[in-house]
Amino acid sequence: MSGFGPEVEVGIARLRAEIATLHAELTRYGLVVWTGGNISGRVDGAELFVIKPSGLGYDELAPENMVLCDLDGVVVQGTPGAGRIPSSDTAAHAYVYRNLPEVGGIVHTHSPYAVAWAARGESIPCVTTAIAAEFGGEVPVGPFAVIGDDSIGRGIVDTLAGHRSPAVLMQNHGPFTIGPDARSAVRSAVLLEDAARAAHLARQLGEPRLIPSAAVDSRYERDRRDRRDRALRP
């Protein structure tokens, strides 16, 4: 590659393979169509991230055509995939990584129910215990922003500041999810579409009942304790 230390080189190779493989989860759960949507992951120990190239079919994705970028969204030349154009959301991903150092993975999808809520400019209400557990309350809406620069990234960061939700619905655009790693962000993207569908169907039957805030807090904290306990098991 191009002058990184051996640990970073190994981390980049691992991440390329992981990001390429994880994109199959987006098609598996019907969260994208054609070449839309993208996943990125931060490289441990370096100011770099790996992201899907633009315009490449999901069945064509492979580790060697993932694109390596710095945290300004600039493609690292001389690396595999550098000849490809990175996702049109690259500037947004870069902005999130620069401003939220705890984020290790970002996912953007065009999942239909979540996009429908985004098109309405309406947050997804916390009407199921599954929403409470994963998102800690309603899923917020971010502002309308143009594609291609860091405006979407700014909207993501500003909307999620101080918010427990790992997901945001960018108005008239669609959902973005974040996580400590790319797999966690994919999990949230899958659960977000399920939440959006359940809330939509509930509204067709009448006005859904919101979960009381104390119960939301209790369910969210229990879910986090369960995750910590699983992580500590040998």
Side-chain angles (χ1 to χ4, degrees):
M1 289 177 64
S2 54
F4 302 119
E7 289 188 6
V8 172
E9 296 273 14
V10 169
I12 292 170
R14 179 197 60 77
L15 192 59
R16 283 181 178 278
E18 180 182 27
I19 297 300
T21 300
L22 280 174
H23 278 89
E25 298 299 302
L26 303 189
T27 57
R28 176 186 176 189
Y29 288 100
L31 306 184
V32 294
V33 295
W34 201 236
T35 63
N38 46 71
I39 302 173
S40 73
R42 188 195 295 263
V43 179
D44 288 339
E47 295 190 342
L48 301 166
F49 66 97
V50 170
I51 193 166
K52 171 182 172 288
S54 179
L56 198 63
Y58 278 78
D59 59 350
E60 301 176 85
L61 297 182
E64 62 272 16
N65 54 41
M66 298 295 102
V67 184
L68 183 67
C69 298
D70 65 22
L71 294 194
D72 290 318
V74 177
V75 175
V76 179
Q77 297 301 315
T79 61
R84 297 187 180 275
I85 299 172
S87 166
S88 60
D89 291 307
T90 295
H93 287 239
Y95 186 89
V96 174
Y97 287 129
R98 289 198 306 273
N99 288 275
L100 297 178
E102 70 276 15
V103 171
I106 303 169
V107 175
H108 171 49
T109 77
H110 295 162
S111 57
Y113 283 92
V115 168
W117 286 89
R120 286 176 54 85
E122 184 176 355
S123 60
I124 299 173
C126 190
V127 294
T128 70
T129 56
I131 296 174
E134 181 67 17
F135 304 103
E138 70 173 20
V139 178
V141 176
F144 176 77
V146 298
I147 300 171
D149 61 19
D150 63 11
S151 298
I152 290 176
R154 292 176 183 274
I156 294 169
V157 171
D158 291 347
T159 303
L160 293 182
H163 206 294
R164 293 190 296 201
S165 174
V168 56
L169 307 174
M170 294 302 291
Q171 184 178 315
N172 301 108
H173 185 59
F176 285 79
T177 58
I178 60 175
D181 52 57
R183 182 169 294 277
S184 297
V186 170
R187 167 197 162 97
S188 291
V190 173
L191 295 180
L192 174 63
E193 180 64 1
D194 186 62
R197 180 172 54 245
H200 169 77
L201 293 174
R203 183 169 283 181
Q204 305 316 297
L205 298 173
E207 189 60 32
R209 296 185 177 183
L210 297 177
I211 300 175
S213 58
V216 172
D217 292 344
S218 176
R219 185 67 187 87
Y220 179 80
E221 292 303 329
R222 177 183 173 184
D223 183 77
R224 293 310 178 273
R225 286 196 302 272
D226 289 346
R227 293 190 193 191
R228 288 192 294 268
D229 289 345
R230 286 194 296 270
L232 291 173
R233 289 174 188 167

